[in-house]
Amino acid sequence: MHESGSACQSFLDAGQYTRDSILKYELVYGTNFVSPGGARCATRLIKKLDLPAYARVLDVGCGLGGSAFLMAQDFGLDVDAIDLSENMLALARERLAQTGLKNRVQLRNQDCLELYVQNYYDAIYSRDVFLHIHDKQKLFSNLYTALKPSGKLLFTDYCCDEKPWQSDFSAYVENRGYHLCTVSDYRKLLDVAGFGFIETFDRTKDFIRFCKTELDTINSLDIAQSDRTSLKNDWLKKIERARVSNQRWGMFYASK
Ligand SMILES: C[S@@+](CC[C@H](N)C(=O)[O-])C[C@H]1O[C@@H](n2cnc3c(N)ncnc32)[C@H](O)[C@@H]1O
């Protein structure tokens, strides 16, 4: 992605995450979510972290705050939720005000590449954010530093096959400005950053299953026909990229 935090922020806010597109994505993923599988998938992943109440968690790229709210409300965790998109955060702040969780969830505009805390978090959680980040070595080094000893890292992300890619997939990745890794690239990056107990999973089949459910949601939404058609096309292409082209979806777990 771009070199400075603020360049990144305008790239996100003026591009993929305009207020209108966020609200459209949210209709598909479910209230307060902008990632595959919505709240059900998030709940399963948070359970996997297996944290005691009052553990301190960093949600990197929290978006509208759905996961952070679940962590606080259903698991009794204290959450620092950071995001670089001001459009996301403005909506997240409105939603937080409605939850009564202000003492358990802190929302902050912050680039995860500019994270300077040390030995602070019991866990770091992130959903489909790292695709936006070019300097993944710096990313994982920062996250490692921010975790307490034995702290846990759990994330999901859009991934890819080894190159060469099909031309449609290359065009899609370039057009979005994504920086994708293979599932095994992520294992290496985590290893180099110092993480242990690394578990990596190719969850592309789950991703396709989520997309199909989201497609049913799109069909049932009370929206303009043109919006429905455009969302359906986006989701059908997503399924196609994961089924027969080079897109993968990964889930990753590691500890310090
Ligand atoms: C696909 S959305 C996922 C949002 C949320 N994790 C969810 O599950 O609904 C990706 C998010 O990553 C954020 N993001 C991208 N680059 C970031 C960075 N360098 N630091 C913090 N957040 C970032 C975007 O602004 C966006 O909100």
Side-chain angles (χ1 to χ4, degrees), residues 1 8 12 16-17 32-35 59-64 67 82-85 88 110-113 126-129 131-133:
M1 169 145 314
C8 249
L12 295 170
Q16 193 172 352
Y17 303 121
N32 296 335
F33 282 90
V34 197
S35 59
D59 181 357
V60 175
C62 61
L64 300 175
S67 288
I82 64 167
D83 203 285
L84 192 51
S85 154
M88 283 283 186
Q110 182 162 11
D111 186 341
C112 57
L113 290 177
S126 182
R127 301 293 316 284
D128 303 87
V129 174
L131 73 170
H132 290 294
I133 293 167

PDB file of all heavy atoms in Angstrom, residues 1 8 12 16-17 32-35 59-64 67 82-85 88 110-113 126-129 131-133, ligand 1:
ATOM      1  N   MET A   1       0.837  -1.185   0.000  1.00  0.00           N
ATOM      2  CA  MET A   1       0.000   0.000   0.000  1.00  0.00           C
ATOM      3  C   MET A   1       0.876   1.238   0.000  1.00  0.00           C
ATOM      4  O   MET A   1       2.069   1.158  -0.189  1.00  0.00           O
ATOM      5  CB  MET A   1      -0.923  -0.082   1.220  1.00  0.00           C
ATOM      6  CG  MET A   1      -1.639   1.196   1.463  1.00  0.00           C
ATOM      7  SD  MET A   1      -3.296   1.094   2.081  1.00  0.00           S
ATOM      8  CE  MET A   1      -4.065  -0.103   1.099  1.00  0.00           C
ATOM      9  N   CYS A   8      -2.622   6.334   2.942  1.00  0.00           N
ATOM     10  CA  CYS A   8      -3.396   5.108   3.024  1.00  0.00           C
ATOM     11  C   CYS A   8      -4.844   5.406   3.352  1.00  0.00           C
ATOM     12  O   CYS A   8      -5.751   4.856   2.778  1.00  0.00           O
ATOM     13  CB  CYS A   8      -2.852   4.269   4.174  1.00  0.00           C
ATOM     14  SG  CYS A   8      -2.035   2.826   3.606  1.00  0.00           S
ATOM     15  N   LEU A  12      -8.190   4.502   1.208  1.00  0.00           N
ATOM     16  CA  LEU A  12      -9.291   3.652   1.690  1.00  0.00           C
ATOM     17  C   LEU A  12     -10.615   4.406   1.665  1.00  0.00           C
ATOM     18  O   LEU A  12     -11.618   3.912   1.148  1.00  0.00           O
ATOM     19  CB  LEU A  12      -9.004   3.180   3.125  1.00  0.00           C
ATOM     20  CG  LEU A  12      -7.792   2.265   3.308  1.00  0.00           C
ATOM     21  CD1 LEU A  12      -7.490   2.073   4.788  1.00  0.00           C
ATOM     22  CD2 LEU A  12      -7.995   0.923   2.629  1.00  0.00           C
ATOM     23  N   GLN A  16     -12.320   2.000  -1.724  1.00  0.00           N
ATOM     24  CA  GLN A  16     -13.170   0.853  -1.404  1.00  0.00           C
ATOM     25  C   GLN A  16     -14.152   1.141  -0.263  1.00  0.00           C
ATOM     26  O   GLN A  16     -15.199   0.524  -0.174  1.00  0.00           O
ATOM     27  CB  GLN A  16     -12.264  -0.328  -1.013  1.00  0.00           C
ATOM     28  CG  GLN A  16     -12.994  -1.649  -0.957  1.00  0.00           C
ATOM     29  CD  GLN A  16     -12.040  -2.817  -0.769  1.00  0.00           C
ATOM     30  OE1 GLN A  16     -10.826  -2.671  -0.831  1.00  0.00           O
ATOM     31  NE2 GLN A  16     -12.593  -3.996  -0.547  1.00  0.00           N
ATOM     32  N   TYR A  17     -13.778   2.082   0.636  1.00  0.00           N
ATOM     33  CA  TYR A  17     -14.589   2.283   1.839  1.00  0.00           C
ATOM     34  C   TYR A  17     -15.210   3.669   1.903  1.00  0.00           C
ATOM     35  O   TYR A  17     -15.073   4.389   2.888  1.00  0.00           O
ATOM     36  CB  TYR A  17     -13.763   1.981   3.090  1.00  0.00           C
ATOM     37  CG  TYR A  17     -13.185   0.577   3.092  1.00  0.00           C
ATOM     38  CD1 TYR A  17     -11.813   0.358   3.174  1.00  0.00           C
ATOM     39  CD2 TYR A  17     -14.019  -0.526   2.973  1.00  0.00           C
ATOM     40  CE1 TYR A  17     -11.286  -0.932   3.153  1.00  0.00           C
ATOM     41  CE2 TYR A  17     -13.502  -1.822   2.941  1.00  0.00           C
ATOM     42  CZ  TYR A  17     -12.141  -2.011   3.038  1.00  0.00           C
ATOM     43  OH  TYR A  17     -11.632  -3.292   3.010  1.00  0.00           O
ATOM     44  N   ASN A  32     -22.908  -4.347  11.508  1.00  0.00           N
ATOM     45  CA  ASN A  32     -21.574  -4.048  12.085  1.00  0.00           C
ATOM     46  C   ASN A  32     -20.437  -4.900  11.521  1.00  0.00           C
ATOM     47  O   ASN A  32     -19.338  -4.904  12.087  1.00  0.00           O
ATOM     48  CB  ASN A  32     -21.570  -4.152  13.623  1.00  0.00           C
ATOM     49  CG  ASN A  32     -22.475  -3.132  14.272  1.00  0.00           C
ATOM     50  OD1 ASN A  32     -22.732  -2.086  13.684  1.00  0.00           O
ATOM     51  ND2 ASN A  32     -22.965  -3.426  15.458  1.00  0.00           N
ATOM     52  N   PHE A  33     -20.685  -5.618  10.431  1.00  0.00           N
ATOM     53  CA  PHE A  33     -19.615  -6.451   9.834  1.00  0.00           C
ATOM     54  C   PHE A  33     -19.373  -6.118   8.368  1.00  0.00           C
ATOM     55  O   PHE A  33     -20.300  -5.791   7.633  1.00  0.00           O
ATOM     56  CB  PHE A  33     -19.960  -7.945   9.955  1.00  0.00           C
ATOM     57  CG  PHE A  33     -19.710  -8.461  11.336  1.00  0.00           C
ATOM     58  CD1 PHE A  33     -20.704  -8.413  12.291  1.00  0.00           C
ATOM     59  CD2 PHE A  33     -18.462  -8.922  11.709  1.00  0.00           C
ATOM     60  CE1 PHE A  33     -20.469  -8.832  13.591  1.00  0.00           C
ATOM     61  CE2 PHE A  33     -18.210  -9.344  12.998  1.00  0.00           C
ATOM     62  CZ  PHE A  33     -19.218  -9.300  13.945  1.00  0.00           C
ATOM     63  N   VAL A  34     -18.099  -6.239   8.002  1.00  0.00           N
ATOM     64  CA  VAL A  34     -17.702  -6.067   6.607  1.00  0.00           C
ATOM     65  C   VAL A  34     -16.686  -7.164   6.277  1.00  0.00           C
ATOM     66  O   VAL A  34     -15.653  -6.913   5.668  1.00  0.00           O
ATOM     67  CB  VAL A  34     -17.051  -4.676   6.380  1.00  0.00           C
ATOM     68  CG1 VAL A  34     -17.022  -4.342   4.895  1.00  0.00           C
ATOM     69  CG2 VAL A  34     -17.769  -3.575   7.126  1.00  0.00           C
ATOM     70  N   SER A  35     -16.978  -8.374   6.716  1.00  0.00           N
ATOM     71  CA  SER A  35     -16.039  -9.471   6.423  1.00  0.00           C
ATOM     72  C   SER A  35     -16.800 -10.787   6.322  1.00  0.00           C
ATOM     73  O   SER A  35     -17.893 -10.936   6.883  1.00  0.00           O
ATOM     74  CB  SER A  35     -14.963  -9.560   7.513  1.00  0.00           C
ATOM     75  OG  SER A  35     -15.557  -9.768   8.770  1.00  0.00           O
ATOM     76  N   ASP A  59      -8.078  -5.304  18.187  1.00  0.00           N
ATOM     77  CA  ASP A  59      -8.744  -5.669  16.936  1.00  0.00           C
ATOM     78  C   ASP A  59      -8.173  -4.753  15.848  1.00  0.00           C
ATOM     79  O   ASP A  59      -8.460  -3.554  15.818  1.00  0.00           O
ATOM     80  CB  ASP A  59     -10.263  -5.505  17.076  1.00  0.00           C
ATOM     81  CG  ASP A  59     -11.017  -5.906  15.804  1.00  0.00           C
ATOM     82  OD1 ASP A  59     -10.362  -6.259  14.800  1.00  0.00           O
ATOM     83  OD2 ASP A  59     -12.263  -5.865  15.823  1.00  0.00           O
ATOM     84  N   VAL A  60      -7.354  -5.333  14.987  1.00  0.00           N
ATOM     85  CA  VAL A  60      -6.678  -4.546  13.937  1.00  0.00           C
ATOM     86  C   VAL A  60      -7.587  -4.432  12.715  1.00  0.00           C
ATOM     87  O   VAL A  60      -7.995  -5.444  12.147  1.00  0.00           O
ATOM     88  CB  VAL A  60      -5.350  -5.228  13.530  1.00  0.00           C
ATOM     89  CG1 VAL A  60      -4.714  -4.484  12.357  1.00  0.00           C
ATOM     90  CG2 VAL A  60      -4.392  -5.291  14.700  1.00  0.00           C
ATOM     91  N   GLY A  61      -7.898  -3.192  12.333  1.00  0.00           N
ATOM     92  CA  GLY A  61      -8.787  -2.983  11.181  1.00  0.00           C
ATOM     93  C   GLY A  61     -10.203  -3.374  11.564  1.00  0.00           C
ATOM     94  O   GLY A  61     -10.847  -4.177  10.890  1.00  0.00           O
ATOM     95  N   CYS A  62     -10.688  -2.769  12.628  1.00  0.00           N
ATOM     96  CA  CYS A  62     -11.956  -3.200  13.261  1.00  0.00           C
ATOM     97  C   CYS A  62     -13.178  -2.904  12.403  1.00  0.00           C
ATOM     98  O   CYS A  62     -14.256  -3.426  12.660  1.00  0.00           O
ATOM     99  CB  CYS A  62     -12.111  -2.518  14.612  1.00  0.00           C
ATOM    100  SG  CYS A  62     -12.176  -0.703  14.474  1.00  0.00           S
ATOM    101  N   GLY A  63     -13.041  -2.037  11.383  1.00  0.00           N
ATOM    102  CA  GLY A  63     -14.195  -1.703  10.554  1.00  0.00           C
ATOM    103  C   GLY A  63     -15.294  -1.065  11.381  1.00  0.00           C
ATOM    104  O   GLY A  63     -15.059  -0.138  12.163  1.00  0.00           O
ATOM    105  N   LEU A  64     -16.503  -1.605  11.273  1.00  0.00           N
ATOM    106  CA  LEU A  64     -17.667  -1.042  11.973  1.00  0.00           C
ATOM    107  C   LEU A  64     -17.721  -1.473  13.428  1.00  0.00           C
ATOM    108  O   LEU A  64     -18.613  -1.060  14.167  1.00  0.00           O
ATOM    109  CB  LEU A  64     -18.948  -1.470  11.256  1.00  0.00           C
ATOM    110  CG  LEU A  64     -19.042  -1.009   9.808  1.00  0.00           C
ATOM    111  CD1 LEU A  64     -20.284  -1.595   9.142  1.00  0.00           C
ATOM    112  CD2 LEU A  64     -19.069   0.517   9.732  1.00  0.00           C
ATOM    113  N   SER A  67     -16.844  -7.222  15.552  1.00  0.00           N
ATOM    114  CA  SER A  67     -16.106  -8.212  16.352  1.00  0.00           C
ATOM    115  C   SER A  67     -15.760  -7.648  17.725  1.00  0.00           C
ATOM    116  O   SER A  67     -15.868  -8.341  18.738  1.00  0.00           O
ATOM    117  CB  SER A  67     -14.806  -8.613  15.644  1.00  0.00           C
ATOM    118  OG  SER A  67     -15.072  -9.419  14.529  1.00  0.00           O
ATOM    119  N   ILE A  82      -8.780  -0.629  16.363  1.00  0.00           N
ATOM    120  CA  ILE A  82      -8.154   0.416  15.541  1.00  0.00           C
ATOM    121  C   ILE A  82      -8.503   0.224  14.065  1.00  0.00           C
ATOM    122  O   ILE A  82      -8.695  -0.900  13.585  1.00  0.00           O
ATOM    123  CB  ILE A  82      -6.613   0.451  15.722  1.00  0.00           C
ATOM    124  CG1 ILE A  82      -5.954  -0.845  15.243  1.00  0.00           C
ATOM    125  CG2 ILE A  82      -6.243   0.751  17.162  1.00  0.00           C
ATOM    126  CD1 ILE A  82      -4.425  -0.745  15.106  1.00  0.00           C
ATOM    127  N   ASP A  83      -8.590   1.336  13.382  1.00  0.00           N
ATOM    128  CA  ASP A  83      -8.825   1.291  11.931  1.00  0.00           C
ATOM    129  C   ASP A  83      -8.246   2.562  11.330  1.00  0.00           C
ATOM    130  O   ASP A  83      -8.108   3.587  12.007  1.00  0.00           O
ATOM    131  CB  ASP A  83     -10.313   1.182  11.606  1.00  0.00           C
ATOM    132  CG  ASP A  83     -10.554   0.583  10.243  1.00  0.00           C
ATOM    133  OD1 ASP A  83     -10.341   1.294   9.227  1.00  0.00           O
ATOM    134  OD2 ASP A  83     -10.931  -0.613  10.159  1.00  0.00           O
ATOM    135  N   LEU A  84      -7.941   2.466  10.043  1.00  0.00           N
ATOM    136  CA  LEU A  84      -7.336   3.601   9.364  1.00  0.00           C
ATOM    137  C   LEU A  84      -8.367   4.396   8.567  1.00  0.00           C
ATOM    138  O   LEU A  84      -8.106   5.534   8.181  1.00  0.00           O
ATOM    139  CB  LEU A  84      -6.233   3.063   8.438  1.00  0.00           C
ATOM    140  CG  LEU A  84      -5.263   4.041   7.826  1.00  0.00           C
ATOM    141  CD1 LEU A  84      -4.646   4.952   8.879  1.00  0.00           C
ATOM    142  CD2 LEU A  84      -4.151   3.271   7.118  1.00  0.00           C
ATOM    143  N   SER A  85      -9.523   3.795   8.332  1.00  0.00           N
ATOM    144  CA  SER A  85     -10.540   4.498   7.545  1.00  0.00           C
ATOM    145  C   SER A  85     -11.419   5.339   8.465  1.00  0.00           C
ATOM    146  O   SER A  85     -12.078   4.818   9.361  1.00  0.00           O
ATOM    147  CB  SER A  85     -11.399   3.479   6.780  1.00  0.00           C
ATOM    148  OG  SER A  85     -12.669   4.017   6.522  1.00  0.00           O
ATOM    149  N   MET A  88     -15.102   4.354   8.217  1.00  0.00           N
ATOM    150  CA  MET A  88     -15.463   3.184   9.048  1.00  0.00           C
ATOM    151  C   MET A  88     -15.630   3.630  10.496  1.00  0.00           C
ATOM    152  O   MET A  88     -16.597   3.279  11.167  1.00  0.00           O
ATOM    153  CB  MET A  88     -14.348   2.128   9.015  1.00  0.00           C
ATOM    154  CG  MET A  88     -14.290   1.311   7.770  1.00  0.00           C
ATOM    155  SD  MET A  88     -15.574   0.044   7.743  1.00  0.00           S
ATOM    156  CE  MET A  88     -15.086  -0.821   6.242  1.00  0.00           C
ATOM    157  N   GLN A 110      -5.957   4.518  13.805  1.00  0.00           N
ATOM    158  CA  GLN A 110      -4.527   4.193  13.851  1.00  0.00           C
ATOM    159  C   GLN A 110      -4.150   3.213  12.746  1.00  0.00           C
ATOM    160  O   GLN A 110      -4.875   2.252  12.471  1.00  0.00           O
ATOM    161  CB  GLN A 110      -4.171   3.595  15.211  1.00  0.00           C
ATOM    162  CG  GLN A 110      -2.700   3.300  15.290  1.00  0.00           C
ATOM    163  CD  GLN A 110      -2.189   3.128  16.699  1.00  0.00           C
ATOM    164  OE1 GLN A 110      -2.954   3.020  17.641  1.00  0.00           O
ATOM    165  NE2 GLN A 110      -0.887   3.067  16.828  1.00  0.00           N
ATOM    166  N   ASP A 111      -3.004   3.473  12.163  1.00  0.00           N
ATOM    167  CA  ASP A 111      -2.424   2.558  11.179  1.00  0.00           C
ATOM    168  C   ASP A 111      -1.688   1.463  11.947  1.00  0.00           C
ATOM    169  O   ASP A 111      -0.846   1.765  12.800  1.00  0.00           O
ATOM    170  CB  ASP A 111      -1.438   3.368  10.317  1.00  0.00           C
ATOM    171  CG  ASP A 111      -0.873   2.556   9.162  1.00  0.00           C
ATOM    172  OD1 ASP A 111      -0.935   1.318   9.212  1.00  0.00           O
ATOM    173  OD2 ASP A 111      -0.354   3.180   8.224  1.00  0.00           O
ATOM    174  N   CYS A 112      -1.976   0.219  11.647  1.00  0.00           N
ATOM    175  CA  CYS A 112      -1.319  -0.868  12.405  1.00  0.00           C
ATOM    176  C   CYS A 112       0.179  -0.933  12.106  1.00  0.00           C
ATOM    177  O   CYS A 112       0.919  -1.591  12.821  1.00  0.00           O
ATOM    178  CB  CYS A 112      -1.992  -2.197  12.137  1.00  0.00           C
ATOM    179  SG  CYS A 112      -2.026  -2.635  10.419  1.00  0.00           S
ATOM    180  N   LEU A 113       0.623  -0.239  11.062  1.00  0.00           N
ATOM    181  CA  LEU A 113       2.072  -0.190  10.811  1.00  0.00           C
ATOM    182  C   LEU A 113       2.744   0.835  11.717  1.00  0.00           C
ATOM    183  O   LEU A 113       3.963   0.935  11.750  1.00  0.00           O
ATOM    184  CB  LEU A 113       2.362   0.170   9.348  1.00  0.00           C
ATOM    185  CG  LEU A 113       1.997  -0.915   8.335  1.00  0.00           C
ATOM    186  CD1 LEU A 113       2.267  -0.430   6.925  1.00  0.00           C
ATOM    187  CD2 LEU A 113       2.761  -2.199   8.604  1.00  0.00           C
ATOM    188  N   SER A 126      -7.647 -10.025  13.902  1.00  0.00           N
ATOM    189  CA  SER A 126      -7.830  -9.186  12.721  1.00  0.00           C
ATOM    190  C   SER A 126      -8.571  -9.956  11.643  1.00  0.00           C
ATOM    191  O   SER A 126      -8.263 -11.118  11.375  1.00  0.00           O
ATOM    192  CB  SER A 126      -6.466  -8.727  12.186  1.00  0.00           C
ATOM    193  OG  SER A 126      -6.665  -7.879  11.083  1.00  0.00           O
ATOM    194  N   ARG A 127      -9.536  -9.304  11.022  1.00  0.00           N
ATOM    195  CA  ARG A 127     -10.344  -9.980  10.019  1.00  0.00           C
ATOM    196  C   ARG A 127     -10.236  -9.274   8.667  1.00  0.00           C
ATOM    197  O   ARG A 127     -10.717  -8.154   8.499  1.00  0.00           O
ATOM    198  CB  ARG A 127     -11.818  -9.999  10.471  1.00  0.00           C
ATOM    199  CG  ARG A 127     -12.051 -10.702  11.826  1.00  0.00           C
ATOM    200  CD  ARG A 127     -11.779 -12.196  11.736  1.00  0.00           C
ATOM    201  NE  ARG A 127     -12.363 -12.738  10.520  1.00  0.00           N
ATOM    202  CZ  ARG A 127     -13.666 -12.963  10.360  1.00  0.00           C
ATOM    203  NH1 ARG A 127     -14.504 -12.745  11.326  1.00  0.00           N
ATOM    204  NH2 ARG A 127     -14.110 -13.443   9.204  1.00  0.00           N
ATOM    205  N   ASP A 128      -9.547  -9.935   7.741  1.00  0.00           N
ATOM    206  CA  ASP A 128      -9.525  -9.500   6.345  1.00  0.00           C
ATOM    207  C   ASP A 128      -9.061  -8.057   6.167  1.00  0.00           C
ATOM    208  O   ASP A 128      -9.716  -7.253   5.499  1.00  0.00           O
ATOM    209  CB  ASP A 128     -10.911  -9.760   5.722  1.00  0.00           C
ATOM    210  CG  ASP A 128     -11.258 -11.236   5.859  1.00  0.00           C
ATOM    211  OD1 ASP A 128     -11.810 -11.628   6.891  1.00  0.00           O
ATOM    212  OD2 ASP A 128     -10.892 -12.001   4.954  1.00  0.00           O
ATOM    213  N   VAL A 129      -7.918  -7.786   6.777  1.00  0.00           N
ATOM    214  CA  VAL A 129      -7.324  -6.448   6.770  1.00  0.00           C
ATOM    215  C   VAL A 129      -5.945  -6.463   6.098  1.00  0.00           C
ATOM    216  O   VAL A 129      -5.591  -5.540   5.354  1.00  0.00           O
ATOM    217  CB  VAL A 129      -7.156  -5.944   8.240  1.00  0.00           C
ATOM    218  CG1 VAL A 129      -6.407  -4.620   8.294  1.00  0.00           C
ATOM    219  CG2 VAL A 129      -8.503  -5.839   8.926  1.00  0.00           C
ATOM    220  N   LEU A 131      -4.669  -7.855   3.664  1.00  0.00           N
ATOM    221  CA  LEU A 131      -4.637  -7.739   2.197  1.00  0.00           C
ATOM    222  C   LEU A 131      -4.326  -6.307   1.762  1.00  0.00           C
ATOM    223  O   LEU A 131      -3.828  -6.070   0.662  1.00  0.00           O
ATOM    224  CB  LEU A 131      -5.963  -8.216   1.590  1.00  0.00           C
ATOM    225  CG  LEU A 131      -7.216  -7.365   1.734  1.00  0.00           C
ATOM    226  CD1 LEU A 131      -8.322  -7.913   0.843  1.00  0.00           C
ATOM    227  CD2 LEU A 131      -7.714  -7.293   3.142  1.00  0.00           C
ATOM    228  N   HIS A 132      -4.604  -5.334   2.642  1.00  0.00           N
ATOM    229  CA  HIS A 132      -4.353  -3.925   2.313  1.00  0.00           C
ATOM    230  C   HIS A 132      -2.906  -3.527   2.590  1.00  0.00           C
ATOM    231  O   HIS A 132      -2.526  -2.396   2.292  1.00  0.00           O
ATOM    232  CB  HIS A 132      -5.240  -3.016   3.162  1.00  0.00           C
ATOM    233  CG  HIS A 132      -6.703  -3.086   2.802  1.00  0.00           C
ATOM    234  ND1 HIS A 132      -7.197  -2.666   1.601  1.00  0.00           N
ATOM    235  CD2 HIS A 132      -7.776  -3.527   3.512  1.00  0.00           C
ATOM    236  CE1 HIS A 132      -8.512  -2.833   1.565  1.00  0.00           C
ATOM    237  NE2 HIS A 132      -8.883  -3.360   2.712  1.00  0.00           N
ATOM    238  N   ILE A 133      -2.132  -4.400   3.220  1.00  0.00           N
ATOM    239  CA  ILE A 133      -0.832  -3.971   3.742  1.00  0.00           C
ATOM    240  C   ILE A 133       0.333  -4.592   2.974  1.00  0.00           C
ATOM    241  O   ILE A 133       0.449  -5.821   2.883  1.00  0.00           O
ATOM    242  CB  ILE A 133      -0.755  -4.299   5.248  1.00  0.00           C
ATOM    243  CG1 ILE A 133      -1.777  -3.394   5.945  1.00  0.00           C
ATOM    244  CG2 ILE A 133       0.643  -4.082   5.803  1.00  0.00           C
ATOM    245  CD1 ILE A 133      -2.073  -3.764   7.340  1.00  0.00           C
TER     246      ILE A 133
HETATM  247  C1  LIG B   1     -12.640  -5.764   4.825  1.00  0.00           C
HETATM  248  S1  LIG B   1     -12.603  -4.528   6.070  1.00  0.00           S
HETATM  249  C2  LIG B   1     -12.848  -5.548   7.518  1.00  0.00           C
HETATM  250  C3  LIG B   1     -13.375  -4.775   8.692  1.00  0.00           C
HETATM  251  C4  LIG B   1     -13.582  -5.593   9.975  1.00  0.00           C
HETATM  252  N1  LIG B   1     -12.356  -6.271  10.350  1.00  0.00           N
HETATM  253  C5  LIG B   1     -14.695  -6.580   9.850  1.00  0.00           C
HETATM  254  O1  LIG B   1     -14.445  -7.788  10.085  1.00  0.00           O
HETATM  255  O2  LIG B   1     -15.828  -6.180   9.563  1.00  0.00           O
HETATM  256  C6  LIG B   1     -10.861  -4.114   6.199  1.00  0.00           C
HETATM  257  C7  LIG B   1     -10.580  -2.988   7.177  1.00  0.00           C
HETATM  258  O3  LIG B   1      -9.159  -2.826   7.322  1.00  0.00           O
HETATM  259  C8  LIG B   1      -8.900  -1.438   7.527  1.00  0.00           C
HETATM  260  N2  LIG B   1      -7.467  -1.164   7.280  1.00  0.00           N
HETATM  261  C9  LIG B   1      -6.816  -1.229   6.094  1.00  0.00           C
HETATM  262  N3  LIG B   1      -5.519  -0.910   6.255  1.00  0.00           N
HETATM  263  C10 LIG B   1      -5.325  -0.646   7.576  1.00  0.00           C
HETATM  264  C11 LIG B   1      -4.193  -0.258   8.352  1.00  0.00           C
HETATM  265  N4  LIG B   1      -2.991  -0.080   7.790  1.00  0.00           N
HETATM  266  N5  LIG B   1      -4.363  -0.095   9.690  1.00  0.00           N
HETATM  267  C12 LIG B   1      -5.583  -0.260  10.260  1.00  0.00           C
HETATM  268  N6  LIG B   1      -6.701  -0.615   9.556  1.00  0.00           N
HETATM  269  C13 LIG B   1      -6.578  -0.807   8.230  1.00  0.00           C
HETATM  270  C14 LIG B   1      -9.863  -0.798   6.545  1.00  0.00           C
HETATM  271  O4  LIG B   1     -10.046   0.570   6.790  1.00  0.00           O
HETATM  272  C15 LIG B   1     -11.110  -1.634   6.756  1.00  0.00           C
HETATM  273  O5  LIG B   1     -11.926  -1.107   7.779  1.00  0.00           O
END
